[in-house]
Every structure is written in structure tokens, then in C-alpha cells.
Amino acid sequence: MTRTVHPIEAESYRILRDRVDLSHLPPLTRAVTERVVHASADLDYVTDLVCDEAALTAGLAALRAGAPVVTDVWMVAAGITRAGREIVCPVAEPAAADLGRAAAITRSAAAVRIAYDRVGPGAVWVVGCAPTALVELIGLDAAPALVVGLPVGFVGAAESKAALRASGLPAVSNVGEKGGSAVAAAALNALLYLEDK
């Protein structure tokens, strides 16, 4: 996607690069790490973020091929630069609440099941809020192109991300409890900004 970089963003990146040298990182890992640090102003992500260059390459290829993007909540979807891309996020639909009650799971986990029924394998999944959504996704045979797993919280967030890394799914995650919608959207945006290059 062709985009104009605002002078504030350019200055932010200049400051970031003055504070930390990420030139040793592979190109997609560097792009994701810088975008996450830029979005959060948190340099701890330099060592806390877990990226796999091959997974990012596959995710970028899937995006270029038009893979659907699924998010756990609309706050994540709102942060993603869409450029005509449809985002699938059924968490607010009555069916998610109904399935959650019937299956005794969270609405976020139910929304993952509903979304998978819609998109099938090969989607790019972005989880920035609900650890239960990430756990549900890991439990499915979803064959994702990429999982951006960056939910935030004191209950289950770090554990769900550890489970993601242990699952062998192509993923971006981080080690600790922090994360969130803005960070998850930023990680995906880093790839979207490279999509047409």
C-alpha cells in the first residue's frame, strides 16, 4: 500500500533508531519490532517480542494473496490499516454470545469458532485483547498463515502466548503480560505497509 509518512511518525522513528539499533534484525522482524515500539513507546518490546522471520514472510505472502484477516475484538480491527481489506470480527454478534453461553466458553472464544467457520484455513489472525481467543485458536485445526498473538492482561495472557509459541503455529508473540489492541494492530500494520513492496 502506498502511504504518506507524517513528519511526526518520521521523527518518532528517528528517535527510536537513535535509542536502539535494530539493524542486526532480519527485515520483517525489524519492521514489526519497530512498528510495535513506535506504537507503544515501550523499548522493552525490543527484547520481549518473539518474531520468526519465516513466519512473517509467510504471513506477508498470505496478505499479498488476499488472505482474510481475523481479529479478536473491534479495537484491534480499528487499529489496522485496511486499504480495502475486510476484517472479520464476530465478537459483537449475538451468535457469539449465544455460542459462548451454550458451550460455557467466553464470547471471544466463541467468536474464534464462528470466524473460523467463515474464513477456513490460511487466514491471518490478530489477537490483542482476549487470551481465551488465542487459546481457542490454538486448539482448532485452523492452519493459519500467521497468528499475531499479543493479548494483554494478568490472567492468562502470558500463558496463552507461551502456548502459542509451543504450538508451532507461525506466530508473533511476546513473553510477558503486556500487549494489547494497539500493539497487535501495529504488528500487522508493519506487514501491511510492506504488502505492495
Side-chain angles (χ1 to χ4, degrees), residues 165-179:
R165 290 189 298 279
S167 74
L169 293 173
V172 174
S173 68
N174 71 306
V175 176
E177 297 163 331
K178 68 178 150 188

Side-chain angles (χ1 to χ4, degrees), residues 1-81:
M1 95 183 33
T2 303
R3 61 186 287 267
T4 302
V5 176
H6 192 279
I8 292 173
E9 179 180 343
E11 177 65 4
S12 179
Y13 267 80
R14 187 198 62 72
I15 292 168
L16 184 161
R17 291 172 180 153
D18 279 351
R19 292 189 183 178
V20 63
D21 180 12
L22 300 177
S23 62
H24 64 284
L25 295 176
L28 297 181
T29 298
R30 179 181 180 186
V32 168
T33 302
E34 285 185 338
R35 180 69 41 193
V36 165
V37 170
H38 164 74
S40 63
D42 187 345
L43 288 169
D44 288 345
Y45 279 110
V46 170
T47 56
D48 186 58
L49 205 59
V50 180
C51 295
D52 176 86
E53 191 72 6
L56 293 173
T57 300
L60 179 57
L63 290 167
R64 285 178 171 156
V69 173
V70 182
T71 66
D72 63 329
V73 295
W74 277 109
M75 292 237 350
V76 173
I80 294 172
T81 301

